[in-house]
Amino acid sequence: MSVTGHTSFGGRVHRAPGQRKAASIRDVARAADVSYQTVSRVINSHPSVRDETRRRVQEAIDALGFRRNATAFALARGVTRSVTVLTSDTLLHGYAATLQGLEEASRAAGFTLGVRLLTPEDDLDQTIAAAADTGGGLVVIGYDRLGAAALDRVPAQVPCAAVVEAPPPGRTPGRPAVWADDRAAARAATAHLLALGHPTVHYVAIPASTGTRRSAGPRAEGWRLALRAAGVAAPAPSGRGWDAQAGYEAGRGLARNREVTAILCGNDDLALGVLRALHHAGRRVPQDVSVIGFDDAPHSAFVTPSLTTVRMDFQGLGRAAFGLLRAQLDSDRQPPAPDPVATTLVLRESSGTRTS
Amino acid sequence: MSVTGHTSFGGRVHRAPGQRKAASIRDVARAADVSYQTVSRVINSHPSVRDETRRRVQEAIDALGFRRNATAFALARGVTRSVTVLTSDTLLHGYAATLQGLEEASRAAGFTLGVRLLTPEDDLDQTIAAAADTGGGLVVIGYDRLGAAALDRVPAQVPCAAVVEAPPPGRTPGRPAVWADDRAAARAATAHLLALGHPTVHYVAIPASTGTRRSAGPRAEGWRLALRAAGVAAPAPSGRGWDAQAGYEAGRGLARNREVTAILCGNDDLALGVLRALHHAGRRVPQDVSVIGFDDAPHSAFVTPSLTTVRMDFQGLGRAAFGLLRAQLDSDRQPPAPDPVATTLVLRESSGTRTS
DNA sequence: CTGAAAGCGCTTACAG
DNA sequence: CTGAAAGCGCTTACAG
């Protein structure tokens, strides 16, 4: 089966002869028999307008279906109430959920929300410049290398906030940013597996967002920390990608090794692939091997075995990032109280004591 | 474990004393010793500018880091190269993938892409008006009731295209729209199950996008059609929602009924829930019951059993919708050749001949 | 090839 | 309380 789609062309819009263009404040002024400044006052709810005048203007506004031209407003005012989000992905759960949090906060604040995908092909500086040219602020999702690189290149004069994977190293006074404590979460998840009696825990990593050789990101760090605290040597991490396919490939290697009894994954997609590889290798979860994911994607509770994972408040992160941006835009505005971006280990079927 | 997040406030941006505002064409003109009209010509690559002049202006542009003010450009030109997408969801696979197609196409065309979530709480007309006020075009994702309602209320004079669940009934000359042939796809999927030897096929429905009592949307229609063609009576459909939880609830009812051997689901999330319910009821897939989903979400190939499903080209749908919008904006532009929005039945482990 | 004028639709002081 | 002027940063005819 391979059905071809359809396209309909009913009701194409072309300005019909009788269809006049949108009314301006001058049109309204004429209809209400006042000056256009008075109209401006009315639409901006300026206090000093006589009630009777205000009423007449409002009537004209309604009659003509007047709506203030947002472009002209922005030009005159010199500001745009808009954010554009720069992200290298919109489909992965963490990104999509963060985006949703940003949308929610921007909507509540009356801001317009733009989205621009960062790709390896496009010139980063050009993409950033084009986004900045819209006149609003920027929020960059810096979970990965491309996002982190973009963040570094945003010109200083452009209002910008970020949601990142981990706090910037050192005391670098970077951009205002929010993050969750991935390291503590990974550490706790690893400790949980160790407490279950597993001799060690293997790690399937997500790609790092920074170039530091020292670590592969906070999740890997937390995992290492927990192993060290338990006096266990860390096995070499695997994983080369974000998706289930990458998890599957890493999982195949792990499944062959009979010493492997516990695996922490950098995200739920990787975990799904690992689960699949273990299944193909005939290794039962959790009887033979325990698996823990990261992010708590919507489907993770419904796969079999259901996935033990770390729940992240991505939407809260998105909302908080918007708050940081806004504090910059209205410089008199207090930076918002840090939204608590919680992290929770959700225990489900994929982790347990080894019974084989 | 419940770790609280962190917020960093390094490098807050406030215009430092020495930080002058962005250069305008007048600044460039002064630096290049020409009139600002000439600068305008240069940045618009107007042919009649002396090479020497052009070079001088370009130098000034580079020196001052001039970038044309997009807002002023839009006001003067009277058009905005922007689309805003109206959608009631951004997380479900179909929506997110459609959105990505729209982003890709808009990026390629040099359009800005806005996103606004439709919610039951907000006033639809107000949301639409606010989106229209940005000056660009609208694309509404009409897969569900809220989206379909929004589409109906977009004022005639605002440029708008849509991606919908099914062709509008009758010859209603509605908005330019694209859709995939869900009905044919559902019919083929159902026919496939019947051909496998299943006496009938049950259906777990997604919520309908229209109020027609006649049908519950094209997927349900296709399912009915296939059953009728086989001379089989259609069992009552179940399902009340979009997510895995809804699928799980419907699945519990189905799992109790020993007559049920084949289930078609309105999407992959529902299918996941159904799979889970069958598992809890001790019914094996596909030995006892076959399950087919819809949409081919990224994880569907990696769950166990892997999910037989209908692959939809959501990104293609998004791209095509953008094309329709653009044809409206540039009225001299030909509507694009309908992008083939294909639909493919992907056979995996969850469907087969009954062996119990 | 290049400059002076008017206008896009609004807002912000400034008068009265 | 209300109107006339100037300006936001561009573009589009119109002159020269």
Side-chain angles (χ1 to χ4, degrees):
Chain A
M1 175 183 65
S2 185
V3 184
T4 301
H6 298 250
T7 304
S8 125
F9 287 99
R12 197 168 325 149
V13 171
H14 50 83
R15 181 162 297 159
Q19 221 169 59
R20 61 200 174 299
K21 56 187 296 194
S24 74
I25 52 171
R26 292 177 211 260
D27 297 324
V28 173
R30 204 169 306 128
D33 198 34
V34 295
S35 73
Y36 60 83
Q37 284 90 340
T38 297
V39 177
S40 175
R41 288 195 187 89
V42 172
I43 62 182
N44 290 300
S45 348
H46 189 99
S48 52
V49 175
R50 204 152 43 111
D51 278 358
E52 154 63 10
T53 311
R54 183 185 304 280
R55 196 187 52 68
R56 227 167 55 231
V57 170
Q58 191 55 56
E59 261 171 16
I61 287 177
D62 295 341
L64 298 178
F66 167 82
R67 307 219 91 229
R68 167 212 273 147
N69 181 309
T71 305
F73 178 80
L75 180 59
R77 267 285 182 79
V79 294
T80 314
R81 288 168 72 84
S82 76
V83 212
T84 117
V85 182
L86 261 24
T87 177
S88 73
D89 188 281
T90 59
L91 261 20
L92 288 166
H93 177 66
Y95 293 77
T98 302
L99 206 54
Q100 185 171 283
L102 284 162
E103 199 283 334
E104 187 190 321
S106 70
R107 178 158 32 89
F111 275 56
T112 262
L113 190 271
V115 178
R116 189 47 87 219
L117 203 69
L118 262 14
T119 78
E121 295 80 40
D122 295 309
D123 180 73
L124 219 49
D125 295 305
Q126 232 165 258
T127 304
I128 292 168
D133 283 351
T134 62
L138 260 38
V139 169
V140 1
I141 297 185
Y143 294 151
D144 53 87
R145 189 160 256 134
L146 197 50
L151 183 57
D152 282 342
R153 307 179 78 98
V154 175
Q157 71 273 17
V158 178
C160 173
V163 25
V164 295
E165 194 192 12
R171 300 213 157 282
T172 326
R175 289 295 195 167
V178 289
W179 60 85
D181 200 341
D182 288 28
R183 189 171 67 172
R187 182 169 182 171
T190 306
H192 173 71
L193 288 168
L194 258 15
L196 248 22
H198 295 282
T200 189
V201 176
H202 290 254
Y203 182 60
V204 178
I206 48 173
S209 72
T210 60
T212 356
R213 70 203 82 64
R214 248 232 60 192
S215 99
R219 296 180 182 185
E221 259 180 55
W223 161 72
R224 278 216 163 78
L225 252 26
L227 292 182
R228 182 176 315 157
V232 176
S238 51
R240 41 177 67 243
W242 297 88
D243 61 10
Q245 182 61 40
Y248 183 75
E249 281 152 21
R252 287 179 63 170
L254 260 12
R256 271 193 295 271
N257 181 353
R258 289 283 150 184
E259 311 264 286
V260 174
T261 71
I263 306 172
L264 176 67
C265 300
N267 72 31
D268 284 1
D269 288 318
L270 289 173
L272 214 58
V274 166
L275 246 27
R276 185 74 175 160
L278 290 170
H279 173 255
H280 279 170
R283 305 198 65 186
R284 295 163 305 162
V285 175
Q287 296 89 333
D288 302 329
V289 183
S290 280
V291 175
I292 294 187
F294 232 106
D295 293 356
D296 196 23
H299 55 261
S300 297
F302 289 90
V303 297
T304 298
S306 59
L307 192 63
T308 291
T309 186
V310 177
R311 179 174 299 157
M312 310 280 294
D313 183 11
F314 289 113
Q315 300 195 209
L317 244 14
R319 284 191 299 265
F322 178 78
L324 290 183
L325 177 68
R326 237 198 135 183
Q328 261 172 84
L329 263 18
D330 315 3
S331 48
D332 53 325
R333 194 189 192 80
Q334 282 304 311
D339 226 309
V341 279
T343 237
T344 319
L345 183 61
V346 182
L347 302 179
R348 291 199 277 244
E349 299 166 354
S350 69
S351 63
T353 307
R354 191 176 179 192
T355 61
S356 60
Chain B
M1 174 183 64
S2 185
V3 183
T4 300
H6 297 253
T7 305
S8 125
F9 287 101
R12 196 166 327 149
V13 171
H14 51 83
R15 182 163 297 157
Q19 220 170 57
R20 62 199 172 301
K21 54 186 299 194
S24 73
I25 53 172
R26 292 175 209 259
D27 297 323
V28 173
R30 205 169 305 127
D33 198 34
V34 295
S35 73
Y36 61 82
Q37 285 88 342
T38 298
V39 177
S40 175
R41 289 195 185 89
V42 171
I43 62 183
N44 290 299
S45 352
H46 188 99
S48 52
V49 175
R50 205 154 42 115
D51 278 358
E52 155 63 10
T53 309
R54 182 184 306 280
R55 196 189 50 67
R56 227 169 52 233
V57 170
Q58 190 57 55
E59 262 172 14
I61 286 177
D62 296 340
L64 298 178
F66 167 82
R67 306 219 91 229
R68 169 213 270 148
N69 180 309
T71 303
F73 178 79
L75 181 59
R77 268 284 182 79
V79 295
T80 314
R81 287 168 72 84
S82 76
V83 213
T84 118
V85 182
L86 261 21
T87 178
S88 72
D89 188 281
T90 59
L91 260 22
L92 288 165
H93 177 65
Y95 293 78
T98 302
L99 206 53
Q100 187 171 283
L102 283 161
E103 198 283 334
E104 186 191 322
S106 69
R107 179 159 31 90
F111 275 56
T112 261
L113 190 270
V115 178
R116 189 47 86 219
L117 203 68
L118 263 13
T119 77
E121 294 79 41
D122 295 310
D123 180 72
L124 219 49
D125 295 305
Q126 232 164 260
T127 305
I128 292 168
D133 283 351
T134 62
L138 260 38
V139 169
V140 0
I141 298 186
Y143 293 150
D144 54 88
R145 189 159 255 134
L146 197 50
L151 182 56
D152 282 343
R153 308 179 78 98
V154 175
Q157 71 274 18
V158 347
C160 173
V163 27
V164 294
E165 193 192 15
R171 302 211 154 281
T172 325
R175 290 295 195 168
V178 288
W179 61 84
D181 200 342
D182 287 28
R183 189 171 66 172
R187 184 172 181 167
T190 306
H192 172 72
L193 287 168
L194 257 16
L196 248 22
H198 296 283
T200 189
V201 176
H202 289 254
Y203 182 60
V204 178
I206 48 173
S209 73
T210 61
T212 356
R213 71 205 81 67
R214 248 232 61 194
S215 97
R219 295 181 183 186
E221 260 180 53
W223 161 71
R224 278 217 164 76
L225 251 28
L227 291 183
R228 183 177 314 157
V232 176
S238 51
R240 40 177 68 242
W242 297 87
D243 61 10
Q245 182 61 40
Y248 183 74
E249 281 152 21
R252 287 180 61 169
L254 260 12
R256 271 194 293 273
N257 181 354
R258 289 283 149 184
E259 311 264 285
V260 175
T261 70
I263 305 173
L264 177 67
C265 299
N267 73 31
D268 283 1
D269 288 317
L270 289 172
L272 215 58
V274 166
L275 246 27
R276 185 73 175 159
L278 290 170
H279 174 255
H280 279 171
R283 305 198 65 185
R284 296 163 305 163
V285 176
Q287 297 89 333
D288 302 328
V289 183
S290 279
V291 175
I292 295 188
F294 232 105
D295 294 355
D296 195 24
H299 56 260
S300 297
F302 288 90
V303 296
T304 299
S306 60
L307 192 63
T308 291
T309 186
V310 177
R311 179 173 300 158
M312 309 280 295
D313 183 12
F314 289 112
Q315 299 195 207
L317 244 15
R319 285 192 300 266
F322 179 80
L324 291 183
L325 177 69
R326 234 192 138 189
Q328 265 173 80
L329 264 16
D330 315 3
S331 49
D332 53 325
R333 195 190 192 82
Q334 283 302 311
D339 226 307
V341 277
T343 238
T344 319
L345 184 61
V346 183
L347 301 180
R348 292 199 277 244
E349 298 167 354
S350 68
S351 63
T353 307
R354 191 178 180 192
T355 61
S356 60

